[in-house]
Amino acid sequence: MSKDQLRPILLHAHLFKNAGTTLDWSLERSFSDGFCDHRDDANMRGNPEYLAKFLRDNSGLRALSSHWLPFPLPSLRGAVLRPLVLLRHPIERILSVYEFERRQAVDHPGTQRARDGDLQSYVRWRLEERTGPVIRNYQTRMLSGIYPGKGDQLQFERAKQLLDSLPAIGIVERYTESVVLFEQELKEDFPEIDLAFRRQNVRDASDHRTPEERREAVEQDLGELLDPVRDANSLDLTLYELACERFDSDWQSLNSAEALLDQLDSRCQRLGAT
């Protein structure tokens, strides 16, 4: 079967608190009924055979998002799978996780701890091994396909291998540029793709600090917990650094990058983006 006969399917690995809701908003707008925001986590988690069958059974799907994409992805006869991943600095991400759990109306240990205490008390609890590793090398664990696992070198190598295989890597702190790269890398398979966006699920739209300024503020708020947090996210910090190096290289190699940014900005403005 020639490349032109293959069915391209875009797969968004929606990592918790990594701007995934905004990307899903764009994917639904771009693909309409051809997009699926998959929520059957119990069946999807760690089950590539389920994903393959789901894609076969839903032949009209062109894009799917899931919090639990099973890596490595399955082989699917007659199709080519195009995964999308956004990475975020693990220190800044911690505040987003904390504030998200504070806002939730449901009661479970994470939401209760977040509502009942400040950032430090919540992080101190989350650093305990008996809790879910949502702020302990979370991105490495998820992208390795071994979750929760031990947060070890094997998981790091598998996550790195996945990133190395991607046509483009997104960085949350450089979301607009990430969208430009995604569109350019995907346009051959999806000529009509339009990932213009209005930011979704934003905790404070009036916060105009740079990512570096927000991260420094979180580091100050963590105080004596900063070093333990860094230790607990050593794999994520390294993975993020490698992803940023790849991102910078891809961006510098992109022809007419500034013009493409201006075009995306115009599309976003027409959607009422701020």
Side-chain angles (χ1 to χ4, degrees):
M1 184 176 292
S2 70
K3 183 178 184 296
D4 291 340
Q5 295 175 302
L6 293 174
R7 168 193 172 197
I9 308 173
L10 193 158
L11 299 175
H12 172 210
H14 184 165
L15 299 183
F16 178 49
K17 304 316 300 173
N18 277 26
T21 304
T22 296
L23 182 53
D24 283 351
W25 185 91
S26 299
L27 291 171
E28 183 173 19
R29 175 179 169 273
S30 190
F31 292 100
S32 188
D33 291 342
F35 170 71
C36 173
D37 182 7
H38 189 279
R39 296 287 174 155
D40 186 357
D41 295 341
N43 276 317
M44 183 71 80
R45 181 174 178 176
N47 193 346
E49 293 79 11
Y50 169 83
L51 174 60
K53 183 176 186 303
F54 187 87
L55 295 176
R56 284 195 300 268
D57 292 347
N58 294 273
S59 58
L61 274 185
R62 306 187 66 211
L64 176 145
S65 175
S66 171
H67 287 282
W68 289 99
L69 272 189
F71 292 115
L73 295 173
S75 297
L76 187 63
R77 183 176 175 81
V80 56
L81 307 183
R82 299 295 192 210
L84 288 184
V85 173
L86 283 157
L87 288 184
R88 187 174 190 178
H89 194 288
I91 303 299
E92 183 188 359
R93 181 180 169 275
I94 285 174
L95 180 61
S96 187
V97 171
Y98 167 68
E99 292 185 340
F100 178 84
E101 295 225 89
R102 279 178 65 86
R103 296 194 302 268
Q104 299 310 295
V106 298
D107 284 327
H108 62 70
T111 59
Q112 292 169 350
R113 287 280 183 165
R115 288 197 297 264
D116 293 345
D118 60 11
L119 177 65
Q120 281 200 9
S121 65
Y122 172 79
V123 169
R124 184 174 288 106
W125 173 74
R126 275 290 185 197
L127 288 177
E128 296 177 8
E129 288 293 329
R130 62 188 177 88
T131 67
V134 70
I135 64 167
R136 304 194 315 272
N137 288 321
Y138 172 81
Q139 296 170 97
T140 298
R141 295 173 194 258
M142 290 296 292
L143 296 178
S144 73
I146 307 170
Y147 188 90
K150 301 177 181 178
D152 57 18
Q153 192 64 27
L154 171 63
Q155 287 171 297
F156 175 81
E157 293 299 332
R158 289 184 56 162
K160 181 179 179 298
Q161 183 178 23
L162 171 66
L163 294 187
D164 289 343
S165 72
L166 298 177
I169 298 172
I171 301 295
V172 172
E173 292 83 359
R174 298 180 66 181
Y175 187 83
T176 304
E177 295 102 314
S178 298
V179 167
V180 169
L181 283 174
F182 285 158
E183 288 183 340
Q184 294 305 300
E185 291 295 335
L186 294 168
K187 66 181 181 180
E188 182 177 353
D189 287 326
F190 306 96
E192 78 288 7
I193 193 167
D194 179 2
L195 298 180
F197 59 92
R198 291 204 306 257
R199 294 189 184 274
Q200 307 292 305
N201 204 17
V202 177
R203 65 180 183 264
D204 185 0
S206 65
D207 185 354
H208 298 300
R209 292 175 298 174
T210 66
E212 292 76 14
E213 289 170 339
R214 289 194 297 268
R215 185 161 62 246
E216 288 172 0
V218 175
E219 290 173 347
Q220 290 179 356
D221 289 342
L222 287 173
E224 64 183 12
L225 291 177
L226 179 57
D227 285 343
V229 164
R230 284 175 172 157
D231 289 343
N233 287 279
S234 60
L235 300 179
D236 268 13
L237 286 165
T238 302
L239 194 70
Y240 178 81
E241 181 178 345
L242 292 173
C244 287
E245 290 175 0
R246 161 77 184 280
F247 185 94
D248 288 338
S249 176
D250 289 349
W251 185 254
Q252 291 168 10
S253 301
L254 184 64
N255 292 325
S256 305
E258 293 305 317
L260 292 169
L261 270 179
D262 289 342
Q263 293 168 15
L264 175 61
D265 182 66
S266 295
R267 285 184 278 140
C268 292
Q269 292 300 323
R270 288 197 292 271
L271 294 173
T274 57

